[in-house]
Amino acid sequence: ERRMVSRDASALTKSTTAFLEELEMDADDFVAFPDEVKNDIMEEKRRTKATTEAASSDASTTNNAANKGIDGHDDDDDEDKSKSGYDPETLASLPEDVRKEVLD
């Protein structure tokens, strides 16, 4: 079931506002769109979030396995691993707000 999106830009959530900024879309313009268009944009936001979360989870699982040495302990000498434990290329590919959330 689709939820109706607010008709007032000040009532939008921070994550919705951030998503609109990533799209370079003004929040006031967004709320002026017909409900069908707003719902399509919000569905894209949900798909993007699900894809990002899945990629982050996969990267975490891969990094945790890759960072284990033969003896089962973390391999601290891995120069390609960032201090966060995530692959630097994967982190670089994430949107800035998602990257900050992952690193915090």
Side-chain angles (χ1 to χ4, degrees), residues 84-95:
S84 68
Y86 294 100
D87 177 55
E89 289 181 80
T90 302
L91 283 173
S93 70
L94 297 172

Side-chain angles (χ1 to χ4, degrees), residues 66-96:
N67 293 333
K68 296 286 182 186
I70 293 173
D71 58 2
H73 293 92
D74 285 344
D75 188 1
D76 292 332
D77 295 330
D78 186 0
E79 295 176 356
D80 293 334
K81 184 181 86 169
S82 71
K83 291 181 181 180
S84 68
Y86 294 100
D87 177 55
E89 289 181 80
T90 302
L91 283 173
S93 70
L94 297 172
E96 184 177 350

Side-chain angles (χ1 to χ4, degrees), residues 19-37:
F19 182 72
L20 294 174
E21 287 173 359
E22 287 176 26
L23 298 176
E24 297 181 6
M25 184 180 302
D26 183 72
D28 290 324
D29 291 341
F30 171 76
V31 296
F33 289 148
D35 288 341
E36 183 178 328
V37 173

Side-chain angles (χ1 to χ4, degrees), residues 35-88:
D35 288 341
E36 183 178 328
V37 173
K38 289 189 281 191
N39 288 331
D40 287 345
I41 293 169
M42 296 307 293
E43 182 60 32
E44 178 62 26
K45 177 184 176 219
R46 285 187 277 282
R47 282 193 300 269
T48 301
K49 181 178 178 183
T51 301
T52 301
E53 288 174 353
S56 178
S57 175
D58 289 347
S60 177
T61 301
T62 300
N63 282 331
N64 288 340
N67 293 333
K68 296 286 182 186
I70 293 173
D71 58 2
H73 293 92
D74 285 344
D75 188 1
D76 292 332
D77 295 330
D78 186 0
E79 295 176 356
D80 293 334
K81 184 181 86 169
S82 71
K83 291 181 181 180
S84 68
Y86 294 100
D87 177 55

Side-chain angles (χ1 to χ4, degrees), residues 91 94-104:
L91 283 173
L94 297 172
E96 184 177 350
D97 61 328
V98 174
R99 185 172 47 249
K100 285 180 182 178
E101 189 173 311
V102 168
L103 294 174
D104 288 344

